[in-house]
Amino acid sequence: MLRRFQVHRATTVAEAIELRIQFGDDAAVYAGGTELLLAMKLGVARWPHLIDIKPIAELRGIALNESVLRIGATVTHWDLERDATVARAIPALSALERNVANVRVRAAGTLAGNIIFAEPHADPPTLLMALGARVILAGAKGRRAIPLVEFVTGMYQTALAADEILVAVEVPVATARRAAYVKFQILERPSIGVAIAGDVHDGKFAEAPNIYVGAVDEMPRRVATQTLAGASLRDAGTADALAEAARDAVEPIADLAGTAEYKRHLVGVFARRALAAFAEAA
Amino acid sequence: MARSIRVRLNGTEREVQIEDHVLMLEMLRGLGFLGAKLSCDAEVCGACTVLLDGRPVSACTTLALEAEGRRLETIEGLAQEKKGGAAPPKLHPLQQAFIDNFAFQCGYCTPGMIIAAKSLLDEKPRPTPAEVRHWMEGNICRCTGYQTIVDAVLDAAGASGEPR
């Protein structure tokens, strides 16, 4: 049972921005609704107006332009896990999307909504940060692109301005670049996720890889990897160094998925597994 | 705001009056379609699963207005009425397979289970046991222990059950 609200269907980005300005804090942007309606049912949020952006044609579709994969704001997890372009360009993202939540949430929920909700227990942001993704925002003063690592500012917090909507997520695609994401989960959301992206030369990290640990802290945390440049992927010393750096990168928060101490232990274990998966990735 | 939506519900065009904040499950149960159940109310258990343009969604957390101009399928639409109306309807192969494999006990999760399984078989008519388990992991049953449900879906797909 939801409290009364009115849904406004925007058909262009400009119209959505106008509605954002008109209603201010009284409106939320609505697409899949898998997080938004849940929060409203639980009573933790209430908006008298919802701005439905699904009718906006520009926000649909997945496209690979030169070296950037562009994912429109209303693209669902279901679309991503089935998309042949995504599977070719970033297999690790396809694999991650196949395992987000459950089939019904994937069918309705959007990647952009997942990012904007900034729920710490989420899969996509961790890998997307490791891949160097950015978000395209549109507002009254025009458009801007900012790195995802700057867009997510904390637990349920982003840099989205009151007049803005997220238009697309852009992920750089480098053919030589590998990526892997591993997670562990006992409840509906991940207890931990670890993502690695980087270039490999001769079985070694060509340079310091991008490694992020998600779901244990307020937001995905970057692991210090300077010492891993040139390190062999299958060397036991590399795994030890990575596990220690990953444990140092987070301040785990205790919750239903476990104590802080337990989670820090998991971080080390899953950092090793992420490295093993990364070494296997084609 | 009240609005009138047209929806193709189990193959029949219907016009329904709803308000924007009404959930799909509230609309369906208000129309007398009681197969989809409210249980977790949080998109976790699958008891309210219905198909929107063939995709499974949680009717408990989907706005009714999303059905506008689209195909909505519920458990009530699966069995085929026989001509004349006197004989019992012919069950969908999944419904028959759930009976044949003892895939339910209390039955509360069953409509959601069968509807979820239908969307799998519509997309992938011959799934592997692992694909059945992956697809159905968002549907919770507290009676059967799941093995008979996996067996029923594979049975309906014409595949033999998992080796025990």
Side-chain angles (χ1 to χ4, degrees), chain A residues 31-194:
Chain A
T34 55
E35 299 275 25
L36 187 78
L37 298 178
L38 204 55
M40 292 173 79
K41 279 198 296 185
L42 291 170
V44 297
R46 178 162 192 265
W47 289 282
H49 301 275
L50 298 186
I51 302 165
D52 185 0
I53 58 168
K54 289 193 294 301
I56 304 175
E58 189 197 331
L59 305 187
R60 292 179 199 144
I62 300 165
L64 184 61
N65 309 316
E66 292 173 26
S67 59
V68 172
L69 182 73
R70 186 177 201 276
I71 302 165
T74 57
V75 170
T76 61
H77 302 294
W78 173 287
D79 299 329
L80 284 162
E81 69 171 302
R82 283 163 178 73
D83 190 88
T85 304
V86 176
R88 264 198 317 276
I90 313 174
L93 182 58
S94 278
L96 177 153
E97 289 292 346
R98 267 196 295 284
N99 290 292
V100 166
N102 59 49
V103 66
R104 300 180 306 281
V105 171
R106 293 197 293 276
T110 64
L111 177 66
N114 180 292
I115 288 170
I116 287 192
F117 204 67
E119 149 73 67
H121 304 90
D123 295 304
T126 309
L127 177 62
L128 291 173
M129 284 183 186
L131 290 167
R134 57 184 198 163
V135 293
I136 311 299
L137 310 174
K141 290 190 200 121
R143 299 197 174 200
R144 61 180 179 136
I146 66 171
L148 182 59
V149 292
E150 291 171 28
F151 182 68
V152 179
T153 54
M155 215 187 307
Y156 308 107
Q157 303 289 322
T158 70
L160 189 75
D163 63 333
E164 283 180 322
I165 66 162
L166 196 159
V167 173
V169 179
E170 292 190 345
V171 193
V173 177
T175 50
R177 185 148 275 234
R178 299 189 200 198
Y181 176 75
V182 297
K183 71 163 167 176
F184 173 69
Q185 179 166 344
I186 49 170
L187 300 167
E188 286 74 40
R189 298 175 189 270
S191 304
I192 176 174
V194 180

Side-chain angles (χ1 to χ4, degrees), chain A residues 4 7 30 34 41 104, chain B residues 19-20 41 43 58 60 66:
Chain A
R4 202 166 282 277
V7 174
Y30 163 73
T34 55
K41 279 198 296 185
R104 300 180 306 281
Chain B
E19 291 193 84
D20 287 6
D41 208 9
E43 306 160 281
S58 297
C60 74
E66 293 298 340

Side-chain angles (χ1 to χ4, degrees), chain B residues 30-101:
Chain B
L31 291 171
F33 290 77
L34 304 179
K37 303 283 192 286
L38 181 67
S39 182
C40 75
D41 208 9
E43 306 160 281
V44 170
C45 77
C48 68
T49 308
V50 296
L51 304 185
L52 194 55
D53 281 347
R55 294 188 185 191
V57 297
S58 297
C60 74
T61 312
T62 304
L63 295 183
L65 60 80
E66 293 298 340
E68 184 165 10
R70 297 168 79 180
R71 276 186 300 122
L72 183 56
E73 293 170 77
T74 70
I75 189 73
E76 288 86 351
L78 291 198
Q80 302 280 323
E81 295 287 342
K82 286 185 181 159
K83 286 203 177 79
K90 181 176 166 28
L91 295 180
H92 185 276
L94 272 163
Q95 292 173 309
Q96 191 60 53
F98 267 64
I99 294 172
D100 295 345
N101 290 274

